Amino acid sequence: MSDELRRNLALFPIGIVQKLTELTPRQIRYYEQHELIQPARTEGNQRLFSFNDVERLLEIKKLIDQGLNMAGIKKMLAASAPAELPVKEEAKEEVQRMKDLSDEELHELLKKELFIHGRPGVSGSLIRGELSRFFH
DNA sequence: TTTCTTACA
DNA sequence: TGTAAGTA
Protein backbone atom coordinates (compact mmCIF):
# COMPACT_ATOMS: atom_id res chain seq x y z
CA MET A 1 0.00 0.00 0.00
CA SER A 2 1.38 3.38 -1.02
CA ASP A 3 1.98 6.15 1.45
CA GLU A 4 -0.36 8.41 -0.44
CA LEU A 5 -3.15 5.91 -0.08
CA ARG A 6 -2.36 5.31 3.57
CA ARG A 7 -2.49 9.04 4.31
CA ASN A 8 -5.88 9.36 2.72
CA LEU A 9 -7.48 6.50 4.61
CA ALA A 10 -10.39 7.79 6.66
CA LEU A 11 -9.74 6.31 10.06
CA PHE A 12 -10.51 8.40 13.10
CA PRO A 13 -13.67 10.01 14.45
CA ILE A 14 -13.80 13.61 15.51
CA GLY A 15 -13.00 12.77 19.10
CA ILE A 16 -9.54 11.48 18.19
CA VAL A 17 -8.91 14.37 15.84
CA GLN A 18 -9.86 16.72 18.61
CA LYS A 19 -7.04 15.36 20.77
CA LEU A 20 -4.58 15.13 17.89
CA THR A 21 -5.10 18.73 16.81
CA GLU A 22 -6.11 20.47 20.04
CA LEU A 23 -9.05 21.90 18.11
CA THR A 24 -12.62 21.70 19.39
CA PRO A 25 -15.17 19.64 17.48
CA ARG A 26 -16.96 22.91 16.88
CA GLN A 27 -13.96 24.35 15.07
CA ILE A 28 -13.30 21.18 13.12
CA ARG A 29 -16.87 21.10 11.82
CA TYR A 30 -16.75 24.80 11.10
CA TYR A 31 -13.65 24.39 8.97
CA GLU A 32 -15.36 21.58 7.12
CA GLN A 33 -18.27 23.89 6.34
CA HIS A 34 -15.79 26.29 4.82
CA GLU A 35 -14.39 23.42 2.74
CA LEU A 36 -10.97 23.57 4.33
CA ILE A 37 -11.23 19.81 4.84
CA GLN A 38 -13.50 17.11 3.43
CA PRO A 39 -13.60 14.17 5.82
CA ALA A 40 -15.37 10.98 4.80
CA ARG A 41 -18.56 9.79 6.47
CA THR A 42 -19.66 6.51 7.94
CA GLU A 43 -23.03 4.94 7.26
CA GLY A 44 -24.26 6.66 10.36
CA ASN A 45 -23.12 10.06 9.07
CA GLN A 46 -20.17 10.10 11.44
CA ARG A 47 -17.11 11.97 10.18
CA LEU A 48 -13.98 9.93 9.53
CA PHE A 49 -10.68 11.78 9.19
CA SER A 50 -7.50 10.70 7.47
CA PHE A 51 -3.90 11.60 8.34
CA ASN A 52 -4.04 14.17 5.57
CA ASP A 53 -7.09 15.75 7.14
CA VAL A 54 -5.32 15.92 10.48
CA GLU A 55 -2.25 17.51 8.94
CA ARG A 56 -4.38 20.04 7.16
CA LEU A 57 -6.15 20.84 10.42
CA LEU A 58 -2.81 21.28 12.12
CA GLU A 59 -1.82 23.84 9.54
CA ILE A 60 -5.15 25.57 9.85
CA LYS A 61 -4.63 25.72 13.58
CA LYS A 62 -1.24 27.26 13.02
CA LEU A 63 -2.75 29.90 10.79
CA ILE A 64 -5.54 30.63 13.23
CA ASP A 65 -3.01 31.04 16.02
CA GLN A 66 -1.29 33.60 13.86
CA GLY A 67 -4.42 35.68 13.62
CA LEU A 68 -5.87 34.70 10.24
CA ASN A 69 -9.58 34.54 9.62
CA MET A 70 -11.44 32.19 7.25
CA ALA A 71 -10.84 34.48 4.27
CA GLY A 72 -7.11 34.54 4.88
CA ILE A 73 -6.83 30.82 5.45
CA LYS A 74 -8.82 29.99 2.36
CA LYS A 75 -6.37 31.99 0.28
CA MET A 76 -3.43 30.19 1.80
CA LEU A 77 -4.83 26.73 1.30
CA ALA A 78 -6.17 27.51 -2.14
CA ALA A 79 -2.67 28.50 -3.18
CA SER A 80 -1.06 25.28 -2.01
CA ALA A 81 -3.61 22.50 -2.38
CA PRO A 82 -3.90 22.64 -6.21
CA ALA A 83 -0.16 21.91 -6.41
CA GLU A 84 0.03 24.60 -9.04
CA LEU A 85 1.11 28.17 -8.56
CA PRO A 86 -0.92 30.31 -10.94
CA VAL A 87 -2.97 31.71 -8.09
CA LYS A 88 -0.19 33.19 -5.99
CA GLU A 89 -0.14 36.60 -7.67
CA GLU A 90 -3.88 36.58 -7.88
CA ALA A 91 -4.35 35.68 -4.26
CA LYS A 92 -2.06 38.51 -3.20
CA GLU A 93 -4.11 41.09 -5.07
CA GLU A 94 -7.28 39.63 -3.71
CA VAL A 95 -6.11 40.01 -0.18
CA GLN A 96 -5.05 43.58 -0.80
CA ARG A 97 -8.60 44.31 -1.83
CA MET A 98 -9.89 42.73 1.35
CA LYS A 99 -10.36 45.66 3.69
CA ASP A 100 -11.05 43.30 6.57
CA LEU A 101 -7.71 41.55 6.38
CA SER A 102 -5.04 42.73 8.78
CA ASP A 103 -1.44 43.54 7.96
CA GLU A 104 -0.46 40.40 9.80
CA GLU A 105 -2.66 38.34 7.53
CA LEU A 106 -1.08 39.92 4.50
CA HIS A 107 2.29 39.09 5.95
CA GLU A 108 1.24 35.47 6.25
CA LEU A 109 0.21 35.39 2.64
CA LEU A 110 3.62 36.65 1.59
CA LYS A 111 5.25 33.92 3.61
CA LYS A 112 2.98 31.44 1.90
CA GLU A 113 4.33 32.58 -1.42
CA LEU A 114 7.82 31.84 -0.22
CA PHE A 115 6.60 28.40 0.67
CA ILE A 116 5.22 27.83 -2.80
CA HIS A 117 8.41 28.99 -4.50
CA GLY A 118 10.44 26.80 -2.24
CA ARG A 119 8.57 23.62 -3.10
CA PRO A 120 7.18 23.84 -6.63
CA GLY A 121 5.02 20.97 -7.75
CA VAL A 122 4.46 19.53 -4.34
CA SER A 123 0.91 18.28 -4.01
CA GLY A 124 0.95 16.19 -0.87
CA SER A 125 1.20 17.18 2.76
CA LEU A 126 2.25 20.77 3.25
CA ILE A 127 3.27 20.90 6.86
CA ARG A 128 6.49 19.02 7.33
CA GLY A 129 9.52 20.86 8.54
CA GLU A 130 9.74 22.97 5.43
CA LEU A 131 6.74 24.99 6.46
CA SER A 132 8.06 25.77 9.91
CA ARG A 133 11.06 27.32 8.21
CA PHE A 134 8.78 30.05 6.90
CA PHE A 135 6.61 30.46 9.93
CA HIS A 136 9.35 31.31 12.40
C1' DT B 1 -20.96 7.34 25.25
C1' DT B 2 -19.90 9.81 21.26
C1' DT B 3 -21.25 12.39 17.36
C1' DC B 4 -24.58 14.97 14.43
C1' DT B 5 -27.40 19.10 13.07
C1' DT B 6 -29.52 23.29 14.14
C1' DA B 7 -29.87 27.40 16.47
C1' DC B 8 -29.09 30.95 19.94
C1' DA B 9 -25.96 33.71 23.37
C1' DT C 1 -16.70 30.08 19.16
C1' DG C 2 -19.30 28.02 23.03
C1' DT C 3 -23.15 25.58 24.29
C1' DA C 4 -27.90 23.52 24.55
C1' DA C 5 -31.37 20.46 22.60
C1' DG C 6 -32.93 16.18 20.62
C1' DT C 7 -31.20 12.29 17.73
C1' DA C 8 -28.87 8.43 15.77
Side-chain angles (χ1 to χ4, degrees), chain A residues 30-129:
Chain A
Y30 181 66
Y31 302 149
E32 179 191 19
Q33 284 195 307
H34 286 262
E35 301 179 272
L36 268 39
I37 51 173
Q38 36 275 179
R41 295 283 184 144
T42 65
E43 298 181 324
N45 198 41
Q46 306 275 278
R47 267 167 273 252
L48 284 185
F49 302 77
S50 67
F51 284 103
N52 276 332
D53 291 326
V54 174
E55 289 192 358
R56 192 156 174 98
L57 283 172
L58 285 174
E59 174 164 8
I60 293 171
K61 181 194 173 190
K62 219 168 186 176
L63 267 31
I64 288 291
D65 288 341
Q66 294 176 77
L68 275 77
N69 54 31
M70 279 305 106
I73 292 179
K74 283 185 179 179
K75 299 290 185 304
M76 306 277 270
L77 271 41
S80 56
E84 272 137 81
L85 16 161
V87 288
K88 72 170 172 59
E89 205 70 54
E90 192 176 305
K92 180 181 175 182
E93 300 178 306
E94 269 186 58
V95 172
Q96 292 181 317
R97 290 202 304 274
M98 302 289 266
K99 302 298 180 183
D100 59 321
L101 290 181
S102 69
D103 293 327
E104 183 176 19
E105 291 169 336
L106 227 165
H107 185 195
E108 292 310 319
L109 189 70
L110 293 177
K111 285 194 283 190
K112 187 59 181 181
E113 289 189 52
L114 286 178
F115 170 68
I116 294 173
H117 289 145
R119 296 189 62 182
V122 173
S123 61
S125 54
L126 321 156
I127 47 173
R128 256 187 187 22

